[in-house]
């Protein structure tokens, strides 16, 4: 990742929550915190999906397993679960529900950071299995033929740069993507602070793919968020 990964910590113990927030922040992560499922809903409303969730199992109200199940029903966001020492059943259930890793309490913050980084490396390196996507059930994108078709119209006239940008968005939906990331992924280099090429390309792409529905949302000071409903074909 070319910008600081955005991590959401859901932990009801304020001492542990603050410790992890401060430690991860010092290690270069952007961090949001909360003590329950409401924190996830609030984060998504503001930023979209986080890059990773650190999720405690033992929470008041909606527990971590329920939150994990809810996340997995709609997203592939990586989840690192925090479990009580010796509670093997919780770890097994958490992994079965889709958690990517677990860490028993008490733990060394350095180990948590190492696990977070390892998970993020795996996510970035994971091969893309699906090659065709439907967006809002109206726009069909085929990555192999590099065509985008809106409804029954002829394929959209997208430039190579615009198609590469669209591919970045639809393979990473509900994540805020910075200009630096988009420049790196589409052009193989980091953006100059004064380079507004990505902004121009996003504007052109919007005009071609948006027909009455906002698909690409501008997040002030952060980048862009693809809000379309993406389904693999």
């Amino acid at each position: 990742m070319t910008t600081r990964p955005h991590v959401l910590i859901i932990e009801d113990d304020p001492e542990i929550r603050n410790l992890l927030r401060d430690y991860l922040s010092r290690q270069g992560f952007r961090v949001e915190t909360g003590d329950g499922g409401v924190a996830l809903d609030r984060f998504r409303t503001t930023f979209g999906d986080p890059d990773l969730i650190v999720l405690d199992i033992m929470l008041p109200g909606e527990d971590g397993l329920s939150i994990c199940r809810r996340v997995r029903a709609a997203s592939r966001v990586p989840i690192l679960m925090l479990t009580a020492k010796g509670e093997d059943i919780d770890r097994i259930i958490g992994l079965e529900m889709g958690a990517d890793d677990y860490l028993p309490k008490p733990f060394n913050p350095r180990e948590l950071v190492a696990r977070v980084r390892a998970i993020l490396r795996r996510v970035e390196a994971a091969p893309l299995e699906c090659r065709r996507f439907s967006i809002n059930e109206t726009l069909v994108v085929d990555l192999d033929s590099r065509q985008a078709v809106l409804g029954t119209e002829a394929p959209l006239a997208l430039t190579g740069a615009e198609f590469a940008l669209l591919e970045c968005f639809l393979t990473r939906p509900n994540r805020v993507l910075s200009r630096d990331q988009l420049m790196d992924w589409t052009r193989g280099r980091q953006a100059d602070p004064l380079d507004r090429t990505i902004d121009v390309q996003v504007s052109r792409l919007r005009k071609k793919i948006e027909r009455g529905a906002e698909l690409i949302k501008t997040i002030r000071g952060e980048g862009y968020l693809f809000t379309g409903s993406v389904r693999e074909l």
Side-chain angles (χ1 to χ4, degrees), residues 22 34-35 54 85 90 99 119 124 130 134 160 169 175-176 208 225:
D22 295 343
D35 59 2
V54 177
K85 186 176 182 179
D90 285 343
I119 293 172
E124 287 296 300
C130 180
S134 172
F169 282 128
R175 282 178 54 186
V176 177
K208 294 179 179 181
L225 172 69

Side-chain angles (χ1 to χ4, degrees), residues 86 88 91 103 115 132 146 171 212 233:
D88 291 339
R91 301 174 198 172
L103 190 61
R115 288 176 182 258
R132 294 184 74 243
R146 299 188 70 77
T171 55
L233 298 176

Side-chain angles (χ1 to χ4, degrees), residues 36-54:
V38 173
L40 173 63
D41 301 329
R42 184 169 59 244
F43 188 103
R44 281 175 161 169
T45 298
T46 305
F47 303 106
D49 281 338
D51 292 306
L52 183 140
I53 300 173
V54 177

Side-chain angles (χ1 to χ4, degrees), residues 50-68:
D51 292 306
L52 183 140
I53 300 173
V54 177
L55 177 61
D56 185 26
I57 284 185
M58 301 299 293
L59 295 170
E62 184 181 17
D63 63 25
L65 294 176
S66 174
I67 295 174
C68 180

